[in-house]
Amino acid sequence: MSSPRTETPGLEPQSPKEAEEPQTPAHSSWRTGSGKEPSGHHVDGTRLSLGTLKQAFSRASQRASTRVSKEDAGVLRRSSCALFRSLRRALDEGPAAGHSQATPEVPSEVMSAVSQQASPGAASKELKPEAEGKSVADLITERQLLAALEQLLHLETRLVAEKASRTFEQDPTAFARRAMDVCLHYDGLAAEIGAIVRETLGADGVDAAALAELARVVRAEEEGHAPPDDGDFLRTPRRWRQHWEEAVRRSAQERVRRPGAGEAEAASGLAQLLAELGGVVRRDLQKVWQEVQPAYSAAGFPAWEVYLRAFHGAVAQRLQELARDARGCEQLYLLLDWAANVYGSPDFLGAPGLALPTEPLPPLLAPDVWARLESDYTSFLEARIASCFDRILQLEQSRWAAAEGPEVLQGLYRAPLSTDVHMLVAEHVKAAGAISAELEATTLRICTRALGLFVPRFEEAFLASEAVSDPHLGAYINACEELRTSFLSRFPGTQEELEKPLVAATCSFQKHLLRGLQRDLQPLFRAVWTRGWLAGDWLRPLMDKVVVFAGHLQHVARPRAQETLQEVHRFVVREYLAQALRPRERFRGMERLRGSQKMSLDAQAIGDIFQGLGSEATWLDQAIQCVAEILGETYKDDIQRHLETLIRNYPDIRRDHVLAILALRRLGRRRNQHLLQHAQDLLRAAAGAAGAEAPRGRVLFEEIKVPSAMAMLITCI
């Protein structure tokens, strides 16, 4: 396939007549800056040639800037300066030196554009190939690189031999001109190698012949065809492999920098830039593997790993440049994600058909750069997560203002709160986990801490609003419970930080839920142990409210619903006993017996209703019944047995409660004293056995306040 050729500066081919002309003195073959011939006055040849050489370099530098690539321009300037300093040292030593040691050291990295200033007559005679009839410049232009190299080696060897024979002893500038021509043609060869490498990944396709020729040049040097490094400035090896590898690196850098030449100010711009970058690198590596590598391999010159490492280094450099300018959570995450999951995925560098490098590639981002990106990302993330929780609170407040009730999904009240929090945390933790385990743990800590601060704020805002209702309270109890269980199961490390605020919020919502029912039920208990209570059905309206309340609890998660129902059960029994032990009216005789029977019926009804609602607090069923049996017991000796049952089942009962019960029964002073003493003995024994504490969750009489012991004692007596 034909491909564009890079013009290689050098000596133009000359006619045989011109080639046979003898060498002209140095001062007559160089042009001045204006292009005129120098004057015919006799001037010191050394100084005149030095001045014209300066002008030649000046003009050559100007022309070279338009004929070589940007990366080669630096080489031209450095090499030209070095060559000029070397020539000046030799010319200043002058003919007096008279030895080859005075010959200037000419470096090999001089751009070929300068060779236009050399003497046409002298150089073309040396450089024109006899066998092919083509000049070195023509061979380079036609990309017959190995032939050009062989002729340059021949010219170099011949020039070194002439130097050793002191041919240039009287005219050092002649040697300098011819040495410079050889060096410039070497640089032309190097420039052509760079051009071939640059064109390889272009849109015009791969010139397999040019690549094979390039490979043969490198192998020729490595197999010993190049002159040894014996200290002579011309016979130093050009190190073509290093030059080729550097050209590959420059080509990769140029390809990588093409996507997104302008800075990406927004996350969308950066995402597009990274997508284009990934596409370019994948396509180029596929091309290298499928077209470039086979062309080099045909000449016995493997190139895949050099290209792979060149692109890896170019991508790393480009990514670090983008990292310096990255701003905001989105851009920082895009860079981390691209480095870890796009470029770092097995499908990128290890795509099907591509060979992996023999040695692992270095990290795409240096550890300090990666650590800085993660640190900056988490700093932005903290503010972002806090802002998201603020937004969740605002959404809930808008629902309260609109008087929107919670939905019932799968039989439970459902608030969007839990879904929003789950999505927020899961999204960020999962995204961070795709980058690294360390970033995932850090993100989880940030989310957990933010949630722990959010829950009390949310609780306070809701309870201060006008939206407090049984359905809403039930929905938020479910939300807190769901968050607690799901977080602890998925992220066990969050227990310490989340358990306390979520449990506190759940208990707070439960208390407010109960408080509303208690406000409604409290007035109804005032009828207990009154004559109106004996005649009427006071229990039905109370238990109707309980049944309605229990209907809401059916939409609450079972553990919390059961806790709340048992608390309602305990509240009803407790308030019933509290009202009975602080009677507003006193019963005697038959009224007391009727009251005992009524209390027994109420105890049975309360137990049956709560059992039907699903309450598991069966331990409460005997409390009202035992008191009713004490009040209605006609055989006074059995009262002691009923007291023993009461104290055994409810160890939190105290002496004041026993006094209050005996005051209702109105026994004689001696019997009351006997029963009270026996009860105290039982209480002391129970306190010693149970550590003066009721079983956990079985608190009943402890929360019942009764009149002072002295007043009840007087009543009993």
Side-chain angles (χ1 to χ4, degrees):
M1 176 183 288
S2 62
S3 58
R5 298 288 191 251
T6 302
E7 181 182 355
T8 306
L11 297 181
E12 297 296 332
Q14 299 179 358
S15 65
K17 181 179 180 180
E18 289 175 315
E20 292 174 359
E21 291 178 359
Q23 281 187 337
T24 57
H27 64 267
S28 64
S29 63
W30 289 87
R31 305 294 184 187
T32 63
S34 62
K36 296 180 181 180
E37 296 289 342
S39 62
H41 299 292
H42 180 73
V43 186
D44 182 276
T46 300
R47 297 189 178 276
L48 178 60
S49 297
L50 182 59
T52 55
L53 187 59
K54 289 181 180 179
Q55 297 170 0
F57 272 112
S58 176
R59 290 192 298 273
S61 299
Q62 296 172 2
R63 283 205 299 272
S65 65
T66 63
R67 302 179 63 173
V68 297
S69 63
K70 291 182 179 179
E71 58 267 20
D72 292 335
V75 178
L76 172 62
R77 289 191 294 271
R78 292 192 299 271
S79 301
S80 299
C81 292
L83 176 59
F84 182 77
R85 288 194 299 269
S86 181
L87 290 173
R88 179 166 188 139
R89 285 196 301 270
L91 295 175
D92 286 344
E93 292 175 2
H99 302 291
S100 60
Q101 287 82 353
T103 305
E105 294 184 4
V106 185
S108 62
E109 294 84 0
V110 182
M111 294 306 301
S112 56
V114 184
S115 66
Q116 297 290 336
Q117 304 300 321
S119 172
S124 68
K125 181 177 180 180
E126 297 293 341
L127 300 179
K128 181 176 180 180
E130 295 289 336
E132 298 292 339
K134 295 180 181 179
S135 68
V136 175
D138 288 338
L139 292 173
I140 294 174
T141 302
E142 295 174 4
R143 293 188 170 173
Q144 299 183 40
L145 305 183
L146 186 58
L149 176 63
E150 291 173 350
Q151 293 198 33
L152 279 173
L153 291 174
H154 172 73
L155 293 173
E156 181 180 358
T157 303
R158 181 175 176 180
L159 185 58
V160 169
E162 291 180 5
K163 172 192 172 186
S165 64
R166 300 184 180 181
T167 302
F168 305 102
E169 188 173 288
Q170 299 301 319
D171 189 5
T173 58
F175 173 79
R177 288 193 304 274
R178 292 175 59 187
M180 183 171 64
D181 285 335
V182 173
C183 290
L184 293 175
H185 279 91
Y186 271 122
D187 292 333
L189 181 60
E192 192 65 24
I193 290 175
I196 292 172
V197 172
R198 283 195 304 275
E199 294 168 5
T200 297
L201 297 178
D204 295 332
V206 176
D207 188 346
L211 296 182
E213 190 74 6
L214 189 160
R216 285 190 284 270
V217 169
V218 177
R219 290 188 61 197
E221 179 183 50
E222 294 178 344
E223 292 174 359
H225 297 171
D229 187 359
D230 56 6
D232 194 287
F233 76 97
L234 282 176
R235 295 179 65 80
T236 300
R238 267 60 188 174
R239 297 180 177 85
W240 297 114
R241 176 178 284 277
Q242 294 180 10
H243 179 77
W244 170 73
E245 290 179 352
E246 180 60 30
V248 171
R249 284 192 291 270
R250 288 197 301 267
S251 176
Q253 289 171 357
E254 179 183 350
R255 299 286 298 175
V256 164
R257 291 197 63 83
R258 284 184 179 179
E263 296 297 332
E265 297 182 358
S268 58
L270 180 60
Q272 182 179 359
L273 186 153
L274 292 173
E276 293 175 357
L277 174 61
V280 167
V281 175
R282 274 192 294 263
R283 288 192 298 271
D284 284 353
L285 288 178
Q286 288 282 357
K287 184 175 183 180
V288 170
W289 180 255
Q290 295 172 1
E291 301 180 47
V292 179
Q293 166 71 5
Y296 279 115
S297 297
F301 186 74
W304 165 245
E305 190 157 337
V306 173
Y307 269 95
L308 184 61
R309 293 186 178 277
F311 270 97
H312 181 76
V315 171
Q317 181 180 351
R318 181 63 173 141
L319 211 60
Q320 293 195 24
E321 293 172 358
L322 295 173
R324 286 194 294 269
D325 300 326
R327 296 293 181 270
C329 195
E330 290 82 2
Q331 289 194 356
L332 290 166
Y333 182 81
L334 280 172
L335 290 173
L336 291 169
D337 179 64
W338 194 89
N341 300 318
V342 179
Y343 185 85
S345 68
D347 295 334
F348 197 88
L349 293 182
L354 301 185
L356 293 174
T358 55
E359 295 182 2
L361 296 171
L364 187 61
L365 290 174
D368 59 328
V369 177
W370 183 271
R372 182 182 64 81
L373 282 177
E374 283 195 345
S375 176
D376 292 347
Y377 171 72
T378 54
S379 297
F380 280 108
L381 185 63
E382 285 188 273
R384 182 187 183 93
I385 295 296
S387 176
C388 289
F389 276 114
D390 289 341
R391 179 59 180 158
I392 290 175
L393 178 57
Q394 292 172 2
L395 289 173
E396 291 295 320
Q397 289 173 328
S398 67
R399 296 186 184 102
W400 303 338
E404 296 180 7
E407 297 179 343
V408 177
L409 297 176
Q410 296 180 343
L412 298 177
Y413 287 129
R414 177 74 63 175
L417 172 69
S418 59
T419 302
D420 293 342
V421 172
H422 270 119
M423 290 180 62
L424 172 65
V425 176
E427 174 186 350
H428 286 88
V429 171
K430 181 180 179 181
I435 303 299
S436 67
E438 294 79 6
L439 187 60
E440 180 183 24
T442 302
T443 302
L444 180 58
R445 285 195 297 270
I446 292 173
C447 293
T448 302
R449 185 164 53 249
L451 179 57
L453 296 174
F454 167 77
V455 170
R457 289 175 52 221
F458 175 83
E459 174 193 343
E460 181 181 0
F462 171 67
L463 296 179
S465 70
E466 298 179 357
V468 179
S469 65
D470 290 351
H472 274 111
L473 287 167
Y476 291 135
I477 290 174
N478 290 342
C480 290
E481 185 67 14
E482 183 180 351
L483 288 173
R484 189 180 72 87
T485 55
S486 63
F487 267 79
L488 295 183
S489 61
R490 292 184 59 188
F491 313 114
T494 63
Q495 179 173 1
E496 182 178 352
E497 199 155 3
L498 280 184
E499 180 80 9
K500 185 176 180 179
L502 286 173
V503 169
T506 302
C507 292
S508 178
F509 292 142
Q510 280 182 294
K511 287 179 180 178
H512 279 79
L513 187 62
L514 286 167
R515 197 171 298 166
L517 177 65
Q518 290 169 357
R519 282 195 302 266
D520 292 340
L521 297 183
Q522 194 73 49
L524 300 178
F525 286 104
R526 295 174 184 172
V528 175
W529 207 256
T530 64
R531 288 178 175 82
W533 165 70
L534 288 174
D537 187 8
W538 76 278
L539 190 60
R540 180 178 296 277
L542 186 145
M543 297 310 296
D544 286 345
K545 293 180 180 292
V546 171
V547 171
V548 172
F549 180 82
H552 292 299
L553 294 181
Q554 292 179 357
H555 304 306
V556 177
R558 174 163 177 78
R560 298 302 177 181
Q562 182 60 222
E563 287 179 7
T564 307
L565 182 61
Q566 290 186 30
E567 187 62 26
V568 173
H569 191 173
R570 192 175 71 90
F571 169 78
V572 170
V573 173
R574 184 189 69 203
E575 291 303 310
Y576 189 101
L577 289 173
Q579 190 64 35
L581 297 181
R582 296 193 307 268
R584 302 175 67 182
E585 300 179 20
R586 294 288 176 177
F587 292 160
R588 294 175 180 271
M590 292 303 297
E591 283 186 333
R592 190 188 71 247
L593 292 176
R594 287 176 57 196
S596 172
Q597 294 172 358
K598 178 70 172 177
M599 185 178 287
S600 181
L601 292 174
D602 287 347
Q604 185 65 40
I606 291 172
D608 291 344
I609 291 174
F610 275 105
Q611 183 178 359
L613 295 176
S615 173
E616 298 175 358
T618 56
W619 63 276
L620 292 167
D621 295 342
Q622 294 299 316
I624 300 176
Q625 187 64 41
C626 282
V627 174
E629 289 174 351
I630 292 173
L631 296 179
E633 181 60 58
T634 57
Y635 187 60
K636 296 181 180 180
D637 291 339
D638 287 344
I639 293 177
Q640 179 174 316
R641 179 171 53 84
H642 297 314
L643 271 176
E644 292 174 355
T645 302
L646 185 64
I647 293 172
R648 183 174 59 252
N649 291 337
Y650 304 96
D652 64 328
I653 195 171
R654 296 294 178 259
R655 178 175 178 274
D656 290 348
H657 300 115
V658 175
L659 280 172
I661 295 171
L662 293 177
L664 289 177
R665 183 64 180 82
R666 292 183 175 270
L667 297 170
R669 181 172 66 89
R670 182 177 298 177
R671 189 173 293 277
N672 281 338
Q673 289 178 343
H674 172 74
L675 292 174
L676 184 59
Q677 184 62 47
H678 183 66
Q680 287 179 330
D681 294 340
L682 292 175
L683 290 173
R684 280 194 294 268
E693 292 184 2
R696 184 179 179 183
R698 294 194 173 190
V699 176
L700 181 62
F701 284 92
E702 184 178 329
E703 297 178 353
I704 298 175
K705 294 181 179 180
V706 292
S708 66
M710 182 58 68
M712 288 187 293
L713 182 60
I714 293 173
T715 302
C716 290
I717 295 173

